[in-house]
Amino acid sequence: DALCDIVPAVKPQSAYYERLGWPGMSMLEKTIRYAHEKGMYVIADIKRGDIGSTAQAYADAWLGETRVGEASHPVFNADCVTLNGYMGSDTIEPFVEACKAGDKCLFLLVKTSNPSSGELQNRDMEGKPLYARMAEMVAKWGEGLDTPCGYNQIGAVVGATYPEEQKIIRELLPKSYFLVPGYGAQGATAKDIANAFNDDGLGAIVNSSRGIMCAWKKTGGNGEDYKEAARAEAIRMRDDIVNAIK
């Protein structure tokens, strides 16, 4: 309620609902539905990566519909999901088909914000780092999925903590939106994410989780001002980013 006119999207992390069992997953479904009622775009942070019928089941659950008897029903009905494509194309194809069938999108892990990401993602693969090869795969999976706004339905997760890699990936994926974690609590600043945006000032959505949800811890209050604190931090973050990409 405090953020819906400030930020365009929410990114619920499935793990924190799953740890509460089925009541948590029920709450996740309600959270997605409520966010839609507030006009927000919902990115389900599920980071799934599996093959065959299992990948299809995930795609049905999060983006498509599940068939029960003679009828099909949407389940979580997120607008977008995060995926791990490092197992190959057959982990992604059912989700690509879900994008073709409806107004849905994907964010593929390309260069993640965690400190150890370079152990694999920066390894040389035939003359290029592995993350660059993954960016090329993202471009391939997005063929034929350009939208009227000029951007593609297949996006990339590109960490705020790696600004130089952002620049390389942006050159490879000019039409992909970037989901940029790492701002705020993980240490990245607005200047660190400037390379994730295109020259039009678009092309990236920057994620801050703890920085906004836990902003009340810095106010000196008892937590009852959590809404006001979250809103103030979101406004500060927005203005900080806008000033960095002007």
Side-chain angles (χ1 to χ4, degrees):
D1 291 346
L3 298 172
C4 62
D5 62 329
I6 304 297
V7 301
V10 288
K11 185 175 70 66
Q13 168 50 261
S14 179
Y16 291 97
Y17 296 86
E18 291 176 29
R19 72 190 303 189
L20 300 175
W22 69 262
M25 297 308 288
S26 176
M27 185 56 64
L28 175 54
E29 183 184 2
K30 293 176 182 177
T31 299
I32 292 172
R33 191 184 315 131
Y34 190 72
H36 281 155
E37 290 174 2
K38 304 298 287 188
M40 303 182 85
Y41 188 83
V42 178
I43 304 166
D45 196 357
I46 61 173
K47 296 186 180 73
R48 299 298 194 260
D50 215 319
I51 60 173
S53 59
T54 306
Q56 184 64 60
Y58 280 136
D60 292 344
W62 291 97
L63 297 180
E65 296 184 342
T66 295
R67 189 169 186 82
V68 180
E70 298 301 316
S72 294
H73 306 273
V75 184
F76 290 103
N77 198 30
D79 299 298
C80 182
V81 295
T82 57
L83 298 177
N84 186 345
Y86 280 98
M87 281 180 65
S89 295
D90 48 357
T91 68
I92 304 303
E93 288 165 357
F95 293 91
V96 173
E97 293 304 313
C99 289
K100 292 178 180 177
D103 190 18
K104 305 292 185 178
C105 298
L106 311 175
F107 281 114
L108 277 295
L109 301 183
V110 175
K111 177 58 181 172
T112 56
S113 60
N114 56 304
S116 64
S117 66
E119 291 176 358
L120 290 176
Q121 294 167 19
N122 284 54
R123 297 289 294 271
D124 180 83
M125 184 178 179
E126 298 177 351
K128 293 184 179 181
L130 181 57
Y131 70 78
R133 295 299 184 187
M134 177 55 71
E136 292 172 349
M137 294 294 292
V138 170
K140 179 181 178 181
W141 288 322
E143 290 176 358
L145 290 174
D146 290 344
T147 67
C149 71
Y151 285 92
N152 198 271
Q153 286 174 262
I154 314 299
V157 177
V158 183
T161 46
Y162 297 103
E164 291 305 311
E165 285 85 342
Q166 289 171 30
K167 188 185 301 184
I168 294 170
I169 298 167
R170 175 48 75 197
E171 291 177 357
L172 294 170
L173 294 172
K175 294 183 179 181
S176 288
Y177 246 81
F178 286 6
L179 176 61
V180 186
Y183 175 92
Q186 292 189 47
T189 67
K191 291 182 179 179
D192 294 324
I193 63 174
N195 291 335
F197 289 85
N198 277 317
D199 292 339
D200 58 6
L202 302 175
I205 182 165
V206 182
N207 175 74
S208 176
S209 298
R210 285 169 288 171
I212 289 178
M213 291 189 295
C214 300
W216 60 270
K217 294 182 178 181
K218 299 180 180 180
T219 66
N222 60 4
E224 292 183 0
D225 61 343
Y226 72 94
K227 288 184 181 180
E228 293 81 5
R231 182 178 178 84
E233 173 58 22
I235 292 172
R236 187 209 63 77
M237 173 184 172
R238 177 197 64 191
D239 294 346
D240 188 35
I241 293 170
V242 169
N243 288 331
I245 64 175
K246 281 182 177 180

